[in-house]
Amino acid sequence: MTRRYEDKVVFITGAARGQGRAEAIRFAEEGADIIAIDACTDFASTSYPGATEDDLAETVKLVEATGRRIVASKADVRDFDGLSAALAAGIAELGRLDVVVANAGICSAAMSWEITLEQWQETLDVNLTGVFHTAKAAIPHLIEQGTGGAMVFISSVSGLKGTPFTGHYVATKHAITGLAKTMANELGEHRIRVNTVHPAGVATGMVMSEMGPLFEKHAATLAPIFMNSLPTYMTEPTDIAAAVAWLCSDEATHVTGAQIPVDMGNLNR
């Protein structure tokens, strides 16, 4: 494999499993050292279990198996001080910062007007405020370092279309898409690129039991919105990691403020 990140350092949120773990391994395989954080907790509004400290320890093991270093911390993206401290500790140990991947996110399902206030607030706190915290903590380090950099916010096809049953999630994913566009304009003078990646279904374990009954009840009218052009229902976390690794590399040196779909053609519908 091409080692595009030899001796660079990548900061990844939500790194204990799924896409975050796949991204950590992919960057490490390409020569990077990793700063990894994850909340390692269950969330009140989600029906699937959260990542665990054992999951984060497994990410550490898999990164170290590539021969690269990793500094991993239990830290919640909703806690700006804790996130900032974890990032600073990682930079102090590994020596620099080159790439930021804001990956942490949660999702639950309900008709828009039936989303509870708790669901709404927790989803915004993790998916939107958490991305803002990640960028706010990282950008001063990148600017001070003076060597440019790349940031990717993991959005979704729901950041570019109105996916049914997830109005709160859709709102956050659209919001971070807009935030990335603004930051791309603001940070261009520092040679810091900011982009979003937009997956459709990814096999990460984010299985929402409440989605099934909603989908069945409204399938006749809403099912086509979920269809892909390719004959594939789900993509793998490694597919998203490959796209992120390309987008943060020198091969994409002139790509900023862009929305990159890895969606099996879902947005064609």
Side-chain angles (χ1 to χ4, degrees):
M1 179 179 288
T2 302
R3 293 175 69 86
R4 295 176 290 193
Y5 294 94
E6 200 72 53
D7 298 325
K8 293 188 176 183
V9 175
V10 179
F11 176 43
I12 303 171
T13 68
R17 65 182 184 187
Q19 289 175 203
R21 176 187 287 173
E23 289 152 3
I25 294 169
R26 177 60 183 252
F27 278 107
E29 288 174 341
E30 295 205 35
D33 293 328
I34 307 298
I35 303 169
I37 69 165
D38 200 291
C40 299
T41 190
D42 291 332
F43 292 91
S45 65
T46 61
S47 56
Y48 54 88
T52 66
E53 292 184 59
D54 286 344
D55 291 327
L56 186 57
E58 180 66 13
T59 296
V60 170
K61 178 182 176 181
L62 292 168
V63 167
E64 290 179 340
T66 70
R68 301 308 304 180
R69 296 177 293 168
I70 178 170
V71 177
S73 307
K74 180 180 177 181
D76 194 317
V77 295
R78 295 172 292 183
D79 174 10
F80 179 73
D81 290 340
L83 182 155
S84 298
L87 175 58
I91 293 172
E93 182 166 340
L94 299 177
R96 59 182 298 110
L97 180 65
D98 300 281
V99 171
V100 177
V101 183
N103 170 79
I106 62 172
C107 191
S108 57
M111 299 299 276
S112 296
W113 59 94
E114 295 176 346
I115 294 167
T116 68
L117 298 180
E118 292 76 17
Q119 277 179 301
W120 177 267
Q121 193 61 58
E122 189 170 59
T123 303
L124 262 66
D125 288 346
V126 176
N127 292 7
L128 177 55
T129 302
V131 169
F132 170 68
H133 283 170
T134 301
K136 182 174 175 63
I139 288 168
H141 292 285
L142 293 171
I143 291 175
E144 182 179 2
Q145 189 170 277
T147 55
M151 299 200 303
V152 169
F153 301 165
I154 302 299
S155 184
S156 166
V157 293
S158 298
L160 296 172
K161 66 188 285 186
T163 310
F165 318 135
T166 57
H168 48 334
Y169 179 81
V170 169
T172 64
K173 294 302 186 178
H174 273 74
I176 65 172
T177 301
L179 181 62
K181 289 180 178 182
T182 292
M183 287 185 168
N185 286 329
E186 294 172 340
L187 292 168
E189 64 179 299
H190 301 286
R191 292 185 293 116
I192 298 168
R193 300 183 295 109
V194 189
N195 295 287
T196 49
V197 168
H198 299 262
V202 185
T204 62
M206 188 184 282
V207 178
M208 295 174 289
S209 58
E210 66 270 32
M211 180 68 86
L214 284 167
F215 188 82
E216 291 177 8
K217 181 177 180 180
H218 301 280
T221 55
L222 298 179
I225 297 173
F226 293 91
M227 292 177 64
N228 304 324
S229 296
L230 295 175
T232 308
Y233 176 64
M234 298 282 275
T235 192
E236 294 297 322
T238 51
D239 297 315
I240 309 306
V244 172
W246 169 78
L247 190 55
C248 295
S249 75
D250 289 343
E251 295 170 21
T253 192
H254 293 149
V255 181
T256 194
Q259 300 79 56
I260 308 299
V262 188
D263 67 340
M264 301 162 287
N266 182 274
L267 290 167
N268 289 337
R269 298 290 182 170

